[in-house]
Amino acid sequence: MTHGSRGKLYEVFRGTIADASDFDPTADAEALYNAMKGIGSDKEAILDLVTSRSNAQRQEVIAAYKSNFGQDLIDDLKYELTGKFERLIVSLMRTPAYHDAKEIHDAIKGAGTNERCLIEVLASRNNKQIHDMVAAYKDAYGRDLEEDVIADTSGHFKKMLVVLLQGTRDESGVVDADLVQQDAQDLYAAGEEQWGTDEAKFIMILGNRSVTHLRMVFDEYEKIAEMSIEDSIKNELSGDFERLMLAVVQCIRSVPMFFAKRLYKSMKGLGTADNTLIRIMISRSEIDMLDIRECFRLRYEKSLYNMIKDDTSGDYKQTLLNLCGGDDDLAGEFFPEAAQIAYKMWELSAMTRVQLRPTVRPAPNFDPAADAQALRKAMKGFGTDEDAIIDIVARRSNAQRQEIRQAFKSLLGRDLMKDLKSELSKNLERLIIGLMLTPAEFDAKMMRKAMEGAGTDEHALIEILVTRSNQEIHAMNAAYQDAYKKSLEDAVQSDTSGHFCRILVSLVQGAREEGPADVERANADAQELADACNADSDDMVMKFMSILCTRSFPHLRKVFQEFVKCSNKDIEQIIKKEMSGDVKNAFYAIVCSVKNQPSYFADRLYKAMKGLGTDDRALIRIMVSRSEIDLFNIRKEFKETHDDSLHEFIQGDTSGDYRKTLLILCGGED
């Protein structure tokens, strides 16, 4: 697939709002006048009319209103309407340039600056949009936009904003291969290769080069640095400057995807960031709303339409839904633009070498005998010194904890696990005991807990079996047999049924292939999956299982990438749409882990803590099992997706010594 330049995207109309046919500005002006006359106003008539006209037509209606009634339409709307609905309708009546100018003006006037609004607008507009906005700002406020931005910001953040305000990005579409190499080398030399970062290089290259050129630079950069430009920016820069540069990179890669992420963040969690929601829905409705909808569905497995529907109400909701245009959960196909982005996402996932980083490392100057004595002292006599226990257990590696267990028995003739169980209680006990078990014992115990008693915790079974390596699964099988005198496979078979049972039994074998992708076979696998989508549901599940449960992760990345090519659909979407229940959840977990395992765990942690009540078992399971593998990466993904840090979530969701231990495992604030 070729990289379409951003210029091209604008030639094809991808908006949801277009010129109305048989348009009569005078009739519209009269209809609006009548809708506002008398007591109360006919809000439905207003919103229907305004959202079914293009912005250029609305300007004609404003002119007709003034010449027919001698009144200012915007003033009348402000007077008649209230709240978010008023803000939305009035903003729709402004031209795009004046709307942008007002957003920027509101972001910098008064105390405090809304940096996120500045970043969003300046990173995403093309040259003409920037020039029009600067002119509109001058006209509306009699001031120079650049001077106001300079007065209100500082440092590298300010410099990059000034560069973007020039609206001088190369839009020629001509690409010079030598310059691509040079820029990639320069960016590498300015960041990853040296101590300290040469920010000026980043500003110059990311602020001026063309979209097509930069996409090629990012691909080159990834080959040189073995990490994506986004990861480098996260490592090298910080604060608002980091946020701005990431936004610029995201807009170079895909403007619609950038807005899809912003929209998701504006509605997710408690409360809605209405200003962001209004600004994006208005400013993109005539440009690329269709692509944004596609990207939204691609990334968040739910349509933008449904998210707005669940998150807003009344006339405000109806207006936003009119701008959104349609519900994509009813469809399953991709538009070409989204198929290209989906393909690129898998390609990126395949190229990125993620350096997995733990949060718990072996303690230096480790003395198991001294630790054993200290633990005994903390538990002897009346009362328990929890702080001393937490400080030792949470700050040692698992291998070191095993040495402490042995020393405790050799020196004191006591069983450390039994002593800890009798001294601690509830979640703190579960967490400390979890840390003291070997990874295999812990996994076996978690599998057992997920199956014992009346209900089954299918999510836990899926999470463990999908994310463990063959070696880890074999060790867990042995530990399970040892602890419960029954094979894990038998336990799974007696506790689950049907296709779900088959999937788990397949995973319990720990026989997933290892090694890189085989390109030819990946093409064949992708084609088989695409063909299976037309088979009956049993055959489809069996075919998916034969590939998703047995191929190596690197191979599956390639398969899922090719699947987009064969079918013009995304594998996640197919699973969501064609499958149900635990089978759907299991396949979906495999796809998410293949795409980005730390992100999968971040999502599981978020689900364990959001809303009412905490799923402590899931929280303990993930924090314990990932602390020496990739918990640092999981933290980064958590922050990236949810805007809050994992640390803040744990802080707000747990308490006491339990919280204290989790925060030590978490290892930092972000």
Coordinates of all heavy atoms in Angstrom, one line a residue, residues 21 26 39 122 282 305 324 380 409 438 446 562:
S21 N -29.1 20.4 -1.0 CA -29.6 20.7 -2.4 C -30.9 21.6 -2.2 O -31.5 21.6 -1.2 CB -29.9 19.4 -3.1 OG -30.7 18.6 -2.3
T26 N -33.3 32.5 2.4 CA -34.3 33.3 2.9 C -35.4 32.4 3.6 O -35.8 32.7 4.8 CB -35.0 34.1 1.8 OG1 -34.0 34.8 1.1 CG2 -36.0 35.1 2.4
I39 N -43.0 32.2 23.2 CA -42.4 31.7 24.4 C -41.7 30.3 24.1 O -42.3 29.5 23.5 CB -43.5 31.5 25.5 CG1 -44.0 32.9 25.8 CG2 -42.9 30.9 26.7 CD1 -45.3 32.8 26.6
L122 N -3.1 23.4 16.5 CA -2.0 23.8 15.7 C -1.3 22.5 15.1 O -0.7 22.6 14.0 CB -1.0 24.6 16.5 CG -1.5 26.0 16.9 CD1 -0.5 26.8 17.7 CD2 -2.0 26.8 15.7
I282 N -17.3 19.7 15.2 CA -17.6 20.8 14.3 C -16.5 20.9 13.2 O -16.8 21.0 12.0 CB -17.7 22.1 15.1 CG1 -19.0 22.1 15.9 CG2 -17.7 23.3 14.1 CD1 -19.2 23.4 16.7
Y305 N -20.6 6.8 17.1 CA -22.0 7.1 17.3 C -22.5 6.6 18.7 O -23.1 7.3 19.4 CB -22.8 6.4 16.2 CG -24.2 6.8 16.0 CD1 -24.6 7.8 15.2 CD2 -25.2 6.1 16.7 CE1 -25.9 8.2 15.1 CE2 -26.5 6.4 16.6 CZ -26.9 7.5 15.8 OH -28.2 7.8 15.6
C324 N -22.1 13.4 13.5 CA -21.4 12.2 13.4 C -21.9 11.4 12.1 O -21.1 10.8 11.4 CB -21.7 11.3 14.6 SG -21.0 9.7 14.5
K380 N 7.0 -11.8 65.4 CA 7.0 -12.4 66.8 C 6.3 -11.6 67.8 O 6.1 -10.4 67.6 CB 8.5 -12.5 67.2 CG 8.8 -13.9 67.9 CD 10.3 -14.1 67.9 CE 11.0 -13.2 68.9 NZ 12.5 -13.5 68.9
K409 N 13.4 -21.6 56.8 CA 13.2 -23.0 57.2 C 14.5 -23.5 57.8 O 14.5 -24.1 58.9 CB 12.7 -23.9 56.0 CG 12.2 -25.2 56.4 CD 11.3 -25.9 55.3 CE 9.9 -25.6 55.5 NZ 9.0 -26.1 54.4
T438 N 6.6 -19.1 43.8 CA 7.3 -19.0 42.5 C 6.3 -18.6 41.4 O 5.1 -18.8 41.6 CB 8.0 -20.3 42.1 OG1 6.9 -21.2 41.8 CG2 8.9 -20.9 43.2
M446 N -3.6 -19.2 40.8 CA -4.6 -18.3 40.1 C -5.5 -19.1 39.2 O -6.7 -18.8 39.1 CB -3.8 -17.2 39.3 CG -3.1 -16.2 40.2 SD -4.2 -15.2 41.2 CE -4.0 -15.8 42.8
E562 N -1.9 -9.2 6.8 CA -2.3 -9.7 5.5 C -3.8 -9.9 5.5 O -4.4 -9.7 4.4 CB -1.6 -11.0 5.2 CG -0.1 -10.8 4.9 CD 0.2 -9.7 3.9 OE1 -0.5 -9.6 2.8 OE2 1.1 -8.8 4.1

